[in-house]
Amino acid sequence: MAEPEQLASALRLLQGDGCPLRGIFDEATSRWATLIMAALITGPHRFAELRDRLGGISEKMLAQKLKAMVRAGLVARDAKPTVPPQVTYSLTELGASMAGPLTGLFRWFGSHGDELTRAQRAYDAG
Amino acid sequence: MAEPEQLASALRLLQGDGCPLRGIFDEATSRWATLIMAALITGPHRFAELRDRLGGISEKMLAQKLKAMVRAGLVARDAKPTVPPQVTYSLTELGASMAGPLTGLFRWFGSHGDELTRAQRAYDAG
DNA sequence: CAGCATCCGACACGATACTG
DNA sequence: CAGTATCGTGTCGGATGCTG
C-alpha cells in the first residue's frame, strides 16, 4: 500500500493502545467540535453568535465544547473585562492549521451530499 | 472572507435547519466511523480484522457502524456464501473519494499530535 | 466466523433556572 | 451577555450469550 509514513503513524496511534492522542482525536472530531471549528474558520465569533450559527446546540454543550477546545489549544478565548461581558472565540494558530484538512472534509460533504442522500434512500428502498 | 461557495453551502447545510445531510454528517464523523474509514483506506478487510485493527471497539458497535456506513453508501459488504461465512468490507467509490479529505485530517493529527498533547498539558498545569 | 438479541451502566445532551 | 448548576432522559456503547 505504501501510504505515507505520517498516515501510518496516525493510524497506529489511533488503534488506541493507551495512546493519549486518541482522546484528543475523539474530542476534536466529536459531533459539535467539527461544527464549531467550521463556524470559527470564517473568523472570530462571540458566544451568542456561535450559538445562533450552529443550529440546535444547547448553551451548555457550547460552553463545554469550547472549554475542551481551548484546553486542546485549538481555540483562543478572549474575555474583555467590561459590563456586560464580551467574550470572543477564535482559532489559535494550531486550530487554524487544522482548518485546512477540515475544510477539505466539509467541501467533500458539500459536493457529495446528494450522492449520500441518494445512496441512503436507495438502500432504504431496496 | 470569500470562502469558496462549496464550503459556504456545506456550512449552511450543517446549521441543521432540518437538513437531511446533517444526520449523515454526524454519522460519518462519529467516533468510530472515521476510524473504520481509516482502517479501510489501506484495502478491504474482514470483520475480525477490523475489530483487531481498531483497538477497543466492541463487536456490536463495529457491526452497527458498518451497517450504517453501508447504508450511507460509503462501504461495500461482500458476503461469500461459504461455511464458515466470509464477509469482506471495502470502500465504495464514494467512500474512496471521501478518503482523500479524511487522510488529510489523519495526517494533520499525525504531525500535530505532539502540539496537542503539549498544549493540553500546559493548560492543565496553568 | 459473522453478527444479532438482550441487558445494563455511563454519560452525552437538552431544558430550565440562576449568577456575575 | 456569558456562563454555571442542577436535573431528567435518551442514546451510546460494552459484556454476554446465542444462531446460521
Side-chain angles (χ1 to χ4, degrees):
Chain A
M1 243 310 163
E3 291 301 323
E5 78 170 84
Q6 223 168 31
L7 176 56
S9 95
L11 287 180
R12 211 174 323 111
L13 289 173
L14 293 169
Q15 287 181 226
D17 34 21
C19 135
L21 236 188
R22 177 65 161 271
I24 301 180
F25 177 83
D26 285 348
E27 166 59 40
T29 62
S30 73
R31 172 149 192 235
W32 294 115
T34 50
L35 297 174
I36 294 175
M37 288 286 301
L40 286 176
I41 285 175
T42 55
H45 287 286
R46 299 181 51 184
F47 189 88
E49 292 174 344
L50 288 173
R51 170 178 33 90
D52 296 341
R53 272 193 80 174
L54 251 54
I57 193 171
S58 68
E59 300 193 346
K60 175 189 171 183
M61 274 298 110
L62 182 54
Q64 192 170 306
K65 288 295 176 186
L66 281 171
K67 197 188 285 191
M69 292 165 79
V70 169
R71 177 165 179 254
L74 295 170
V75 168
R77 196 191 111 114
D78 178 36
K80 292 219 184 326
T82 59
V83 177
Q86 190 152 336
V87 184
T88 309
Y89 293 92
S90 57
L91 294 182
T92 61
E93 196 175 332
L94 188 58
S97 84
M98 179 179 167
L102 207 52
T103 60
L105 243 198
F106 279 115
R107 280 221 290 261
W108 185 86
F109 273 92
S111 46
H112 294 74
D114 292 348
E115 298 178 54
L116 285 167
T117 52
R118 245 185 291 117
Q120 189 145 322
R121 201 160 24 237
Y123 179 95
D124 292 342
Chain B
M1 244 311 164
E3 291 301 325
E5 77 169 83
Q6 222 168 31
L7 176 57
S9 96
L11 288 180
R12 209 176 323 111
L13 289 174
L14 294 169
Q15 286 180 227
D17 34 21
C19 133
L21 236 188
R22 176 67 162 270
I24 300 180
F25 176 83
D26 285 350
E27 167 59 39
T29 63
S30 72
R31 173 146 190 235
W32 294 114
T34 50
L35 296 174
I36 294 174
M37 287 287 300
L40 286 177
I41 285 175
T42 54
H45 287 286
R46 299 181 52 184
F47 188 88
E49 291 173 345
L50 288 172
R51 170 179 33 94
D52 295 341
R53 273 193 79 175
L54 251 54
I57 194 172
S58 69
E59 300 193 345
K60 174 189 173 185
M61 273 298 110
L62 182 54
Q64 192 172 305
K65 289 295 173 185
L66 281 171
K67 194 188 287 189
M69 291 164 80
V70 169
R71 178 166 179 252
L74 294 170
V75 168
R77 195 190 112 113
D78 178 36
K80 294 219 184 322
T82 59
V83 177
Q86 190 153 336
V87 184
T88 308
Y89 293 93
S90 56
L91 294 182
T92 61
E93 197 174 333
L94 187 58
S97 84
M98 180 178 169
L102 207 53
T103 60
L105 243 198
F106 278 116
R107 280 223 289 262
W108 185 87
F109 273 94
S111 46
H112 295 74
D114 293 347
E115 298 178 54
L116 286 167
T117 52
R118 246 187 289 118
Q120 190 144 323
R121 203 161 21 238
Y123 180 94
D124 292 342

